[in-house]
Amino acid sequence: MNERISFADIELELVDFLSARLSAAADNATVVTRVPEPRPARMVRVVRDDRRSRLDADDPESSLGSRLILDRPRVVLECTDDAGAAAGLAALVRSVLSSAAPGYLGTVWCDRLTDVGMQNDTDPVTAAPRYTIVTDLVVRGTVLA
């Protein structure tokens, strides 16, 4: 019989994790999954985007084997700062994430984190300074009874 596996909402886990870590670093950035109205002047938006193509050439089972308890979310983090310090915010977020694995991201165990990159991605509509970070995670689910 196959096991039933439950995976955490990685977006919400990262919102809580990054909020705590940024606050500990005395950074006042708001971490969200949806942009609130009014939009915060300094913000990190977390989006799971598995449709974005991966740069790796792994087969479906990859080096992870057939362990079905693992999830491989691709996460996009949009860092904005109206004062022009979006690159600095992105660098801080990137360092927080890079130092987190292996380890817990909130309540979720992260086996591995692959930093895919960071790019200047100025908002075309508002011209707001924005940097985007893309990262691939390998996280563990929970076996349901």
Side-chain angles (χ1 to χ4, degrees):
M1 183 165 99
N2 291 334
E3 294 176 316
R4 293 181 300 142
I5 310 296
S6 173
F7 296 103
D9 182 335
I10 196 64
E11 290 175 336
L12 293 179
E13 291 291 335
L14 283 173
V15 165
D16 292 344
F17 175 76
L18 288 172
S19 294
R21 293 293 172 98
L22 292 176
S23 179
D27 192 293
N28 65 347
T30 303
V31 184
V32 299
T33 57
R34 286 193 214 153
V35 179
E37 189 60 45
R39 186 178 70 77
R42 187 168 170 86
M43 175 181 69
V44 178
R45 181 173 171 243
V46 180
V47 179
R48 180 174 180 157
D49 186 1
D50 291 335
R51 293 177 296 166
R52 193 176 281 228
S53 63
R54 294 184 184 276
L55 299 178
D56 59 14
D58 286 348
D59 61 317
E61 291 187 3
S62 167
S63 60
L64 304 174
S66 60
R67 296 175 284 176
L68 299 177
I69 196 166
L70 299 177
D71 188 19
R72 290 184 58 200
R74 167 155 283 190
V75 179
V76 178
L77 301 116
E78 298 172 351
C79 301
T80 60
D81 186 332
D82 291 349
L89 176 57
L92 176 59
V93 169
R94 192 177 188 190
S95 71
V96 165
L97 283 177
S98 295
S99 65
Y104 281 97
L105 300 173
T107 62
V108 175
W109 179 261
C110 182
D111 283 344
R112 185 171 43 203
L113 183 145
T114 304
D115 182 358
V116 177
M118 183 171 94
Q119 72 176 8
N120 184 340
D121 186 28
T122 302
D123 189 307
V125 174
T126 65
R130 178 174 68 193
Y131 271 75
T132 301
I133 303 165
V134 179
T135 187
D136 293 334
L137 306 174
V138 177
V139 297
R140 294 191 174 268
T142 303
V143 177
L144 300 174

